[in-house]
Amino acid sequence: MANQTIKTSLTFILLCQPRILSQTKSQQMSVVPIVDTLEKVYNNVELQRDRYQNMSETFKKEYGVIPDFFARAPGRVNLIGEHVDYSGYGVLPMALEKDVVIATGVKLEENTKPSIAVHISSTQHDHYSSKSVEIPIDNCDPTSLFDHLNIDPKEHHWTNYVLCGIKGILQYIKDNNVSQFKDKSFENKKISISMLLDGNVPSGSGLSSSSAVVCSSALSFSHVLSLTPVISKADMGSLTAKSEQFVGVQSGGMDQAISFLGERNIAMYITFVPKLGAEPVKLPEDVAFVVAHSLAISQKAQTAAFNYNRRVVECRLACVLLARQLLQGNPILVEPKTLKWLQDELKASFETMEQACEQHLKRDAYSMQQVADELGFESVDALQKRYFPTVQLANQSDLKLHDRALHVFTEAHRTFLVEELCNTSEAGDKAHKIGKLMNESHFSGRDLYEASCPELEELTILCRNTKGCLGSRFTGIINNCLSSCKIGAGWGGCTVSAVLVEDLEQFLSTIWKEYYSKRENVPAKETVLFSSLPSAGAAVIKLNN
Ligand code: GLA
């Protein structure tokens, strides 16, 4: 990235209100778009018009002015490729129309210590309390901002996700050594940023509501700093994936990648190696993808120590043990690597990797001590320091390395096959084959990754047994059980089913009748049961009032 461009942009921010810089054609292809109508983003524009109008009014009540712009980032549904991104493998999600929008306003204050002050509030005041943070700027040097913004993962406040997005951009500024705040005209200025969030991605549903907050916040902040035309979509995806880890979850990069790289009517095969990339995937036209919420809620940050991060550690340790057996010289890896890295090193097929799991990993669970002994580490602490220094696991035993690795290799393989099926020009029964792979994905996620729960089982079985359904699986979910419960209990979130378009209406009404109408306190239908086409990725929206 040309430093000069960044510097020019940053000079600009502190002099005046954010504004759109002119973009070259090629940049337009790869940077987050700045649009002036809702039609460019949404299908259902009427509903959105009211929503944006309400946001503007609430913003005015709260901050006294109307917002300068809106930053919008979508949630996503993952069609296949579950729990493989943090092992380096490709995933196949699509962006949803459901999203998080941040109305943003900026003002500059003179004669005060240089700082960035951020005021964060939500349209759902009753559930989400407001918060303000002020980040000092040392010696007018913006690279200092990064170190001054602290996010405490132990203090769960929803605004932590907003701060993660901001911190991601500050990290970008630091890594790119953007020191332009030293400019005289920035002295004694406080940049005061007001944000009002509105989201309709159901929280804890596995549709990536928290990442949509991180992405929209990073986008809002980057636009304030006039960095929108400078940072590519892929870089936005990568930096937000890293920065979401500030809340303590070691998640992979799928959610943030699709939020920025998603496109209308196109699902994406997202790959992470050697760097973030997205290949368009043509979904079969006779199939609709239906998202159904099991109504069991799962929150990834609150439970990371017991659940999500645990799976990350299991995959890393499986990789170390397999590398020891399979690589020449039987090395003890000096740093954590992914299962995909290992497969690439070996130039092996998926089948070979699956056999390697059977041959070299024991089916019974390992304890951390056993892994340390097998690798010749003097203590569990030494093992942890090397392979997962920032992760604390609540339980040091019951590590099911064989099952986790086998899930990853088979799931990565299935995802690859679905991508291939979608993009092949050959006619044939693509839709049924995709449905079958989705079912297999579910069974593997349930049995080998222990990621299902009674609600998800009931719902996927019901979906599979309903006319028109070709396959059904859980999607993008995180274990929500707390320390006291056994791993495998307490998962939640949504299912995704492939349904023949001709049977869609009947399918939706059967599922509503058989699953939701029998339960109490069910949220509005459109929030728990809907069919979705791939929607547009993140955008800055500047409406002409
Ligand atoms: C969460 C993470 C993703 C991915 C999915 C599981 O959504 O944020 O990176 O690992 O879980 O597929």
Side-chain angles (χ1 to χ4, degrees), residues 41-44 47-48 51-52 72-77 94-101 198-203 205-213 216 255 258-259 291-293 494 523-538:
V41 176
Y42 299 105
N43 291 324
N44 193 342
L47 265 185
Q48 297 294 344
R51 178 183 178 207
Y52 277 73
R72 168 283 158 181
R76 58 101 188 98
V77 58
M94 65 187 195
L96 292 173
E97 187 138 313
K98 294 188 189 303
D99 58 10
V100 171
V101 178
D198 185 69
N200 56 20
V201 188
S203 157
S205 62
L207 301 180
S208 184
S209 54
S210 44
S211 301
V213 174
S216 52
D255 310 348
I258 190 65
S259 196
V291 178
H293 198 320
C494 284
K525 193 170 180 175
E526 64 280 8
T527 63
V528 291
L529 179 65
F530 55 92
S531 140
S532 182
L533 285 173
S535 103

Side-chain angles (χ1 to χ4, degrees), residues 76 78 81-86 211 251-255 300 308 476-478:
R76 58 101 188 98
N78 189 21
E82 215 60 78
H83 287 283
V84 296
D85 57 350
Y86 48 85
S211 301
S251 42
M254 162 167 66
D255 310 348
K300 70 181 162 186
Y308 189 88
I477 54 170
I478 316 287

Side-chain angles (χ1 to χ4, degrees), residues 51-115:
R51 178 183 178 207
Y52 277 73
Q53 185 59 35
N54 289 340
M55 281 188 84
S56 283
E57 283 162 20
T58 313
F59 191 96
K60 180 132 200 266
K61 268 191 217 141
E62 195 130 330
Y63 298 116
V65 288
I66 58 161
D68 294 317
F69 66 91
F70 300 89
R72 168 283 158 181
R76 58 101 188 98
V77 58
N78 189 21
L79 302 180
I80 195 160
E82 215 60 78
H83 287 283
V84 296
D85 57 350
Y86 48 85
S87 286
Y89 287 107
V91 290
L92 211 161
M94 65 187 195
L96 292 173
E97 187 138 313
K98 294 188 189 303
D99 58 10
V100 171
V101 178
I102 304 187
T104 312
V106 193
K107 70 175 193 278
L108 297 179
E109 291 172 34
E110 311 249 356
N111 304 323
T112 171
K113 276 197 175 162
S115 69

Side-chain angles (χ1 to χ4, degrees), residues 443-460:
F443 302 138
S444 172
R446 178 192 66 193
D447 301 335
L448 296 174
Y449 229 68
E450 296 185 85
S452 196
C453 67
E455 292 90 340
L456 286 167
E457 284 313 300
E458 183 186 337
L459 189 50
T460 47

